[in-house]
Each structure stands twice: as structure tokens, then as C-alpha cells.
Amino acid sequence: MLIYLQMIDTPEERSKFEQIYLEYKGLMFHVAYDILHNEQDAEDAVHQAFVKVAENIKKIGEPVCPKTHSYVVTIVENKAIDQYRKRQKHQTVELIDDIQGTEAHYEGNNDLTKCILKLPARYREMILLRYHHGYSVREIANIMDISLAAAIKLDQRAKNKLKKLCEEAGIL
């Protein structure tokens, strides 16, 4: 709270801000958490909202009244929605080929088996779950705890890598 108070000039405004902070911090966190479903993101939204309140403290009349209540809730809602949109816009899934997946075992002694065993662990896991055990890509996404889009891409990359290994081995 000291950071916010440093932004405010007069002792009266500091007192008003303290009352607002103590009265509404729990409500603001609850509102932000309902939108973001993440504690850290909700805390960030509340912080940004309090910075905005401190910047506009001169516009606030009574610290504890329905008008102030609506004002702080609106600010924190807007900050949480902005943060949610930013998170959705910049959400990426990093696909690293060399990440080691769970060990997948495949028994057999032919050229295709040798090619499958040369695959990186995640690719091998995808190929075996999909084509040996018969799981759908959606089921594999759940098993591997990745998004459906990441599973589709992983399946595509695994097939391409296996095809390349088979061509190099003279199978195709």
C-alpha cells in the first residue's frame, strides 16, 4: 500500500485511499479472480486497478459509498478483462522436438520398428499411442496433457519424421 500512497499528494487523499484500499481490496480480488481464474493474474489486475484509483483519487468523493463501490469494481473488471484478452492473444504453445516424453515400448524386430525406435521419445510416444494402440488425437492430447492443437501438430511432425527415417532406411 505504501507504493500507492507515494503517488498521492495530500494527507486527506492518502486517508481516503487507505479507506478505499481496506474496504474494497477483497472484493476487487474476488471480481478479478472470477474473470481470470488465476490468483497471480487476479493480484496483478487488482494492483493495476489500485494504481488507477490512486491516479484518480481526486475524482472520488466518499471513500465508502455505492458510487465508489461501482467505480472500483468497474476499474478492476476492466483491468482483468484487459489482462484476459492479452493472455488469450499471446497464448502460445512451445513445441520442442527433443523433449523427452514418457518411455514408450514397442516390441518387434523389423525395419519399421528400428525406425520407430530412432524417433525422439515424444514422437515415438505419439506414433505408438495413435497407430499401435489406436487412441484418437483428442485422447492422446488428454493422456499427454497438451492441447488438441499441440497434439495434432505433434502427430503431424512425428509422421513426417518417421517417413523421413523410413526413406533413409530404404523402406519407402
Side-chain angles (χ1 to χ4, degrees), residues 104-159:
H105 300 285
Y106 185 75
E107 295 178 13
N109 194 14
N110 59 38
D111 292 333
L112 179 59
T113 302
K114 291 174 185 172
C115 290
I116 290 171
L117 293 174
K118 288 181 185 176
L119 288 171
R122 267 178 91 78
Y123 288 179
R124 186 172 56 243
E125 183 178 21
M126 172 58 83
I127 293 293
L128 294 177
L129 288 172
R130 178 103 165 100
Y131 302 101
H132 182 68
H133 297 292
Y135 288 103
S136 70
V137 176
R138 185 175 304 278
E139 291 170 324
I140 295 170
N142 289 331
I143 291 168
M144 296 177 81
D145 196 28
I146 58 176
S147 69
L148 179 59
I152 290 169
K153 194 64 175 175
L154 184 63
D155 183 43
Q156 181 183 45
R157 289 180 177 178
K159 288 188 292 188

Side-chain angles (χ1 to χ4, degrees), residues 44-94:
D44 289 345
V46 171
H47 166 70
Q48 293 168 1
F50 274 122
V51 169
K52 186 79 167 177
V53 169
E55 290 171 351
N56 296 301
I57 195 70
K58 289 177 171 57
K59 298 178 182 177
I60 298 173
E62 288 296 315
V64 181
C65 69
K67 188 174 180 182
T68 303
H69 178 275
S70 297
Y71 179 70
V72 297
V73 167
T74 301
I75 289 174
V76 79
E77 280 178 342
N78 289 337
K79 295 297 180 184
I81 289 169
D82 289 347
Q83 196 164 347
Y84 178 81
R85 286 179 180 150
K86 183 192 285 186
R87 187 174 65 196
Q88 294 302 314
K89 185 177 181 182
H90 297 293
Q91 190 172 25
T92 58
V93 175
E94 187 175 336

